Amino acid sequence: GVELEKRLVDLGRSLAARLSVTGPMNAQVLVTPGQELLVIETNLRASRSLQLKPNSGRPLPLRKYRR
């Protein structure tokens, strides 16, 4: 739901800040039955294509990144 989405966004921002990411990043996160978030992989480079719409069906908020 909305609370899980907020937690995932907060986690992504925290990861980006801690890793000093200035461009696209993806992270694979497992959500346990108890709603714990477990980061299993973080990739600092974009893959061959950049997904422009998350699986939730909501538009992805795009912003410009500075180096």
Side-chain angles (χ1 to χ4, degrees):
V2 174
E3 178 60 31
L4 178 58
E5 185 175 336
K6 181 185 180 318
R7 289 178 57 213
L8 287 166
V9 169
D10 290 344
L11 175 63
R13 287 182 177 152
S14 177
L15 284 170
R18 290 188 64 144
L19 296 170
S20 301
V21 175
T22 59
M25 170 185 100
N26 65 19
Q28 292 186 26
V29 179
L30 293 176
V31 182
T32 69
Q35 297 298 298
E36 184 179 8
L37 303 180
L38 303 174
V39 178
I40 60 170
E41 180 181 8
T42 301
N43 186 340
L44 302 177
R45 355 173 242 147
S47 62
R48 292 181 189 174
S49 63
L50 185 60
Q51 183 178 357
L52 296 178
K53 195 176 228 186
N55 291 336
S56 69
R58 294 187 177 134
L60 181 67
L62 298 178
R63 68 173 84 157
K64 293 185 179 183
Y65 293 94
R66 287 193 228 171
R67 289 189 172 222

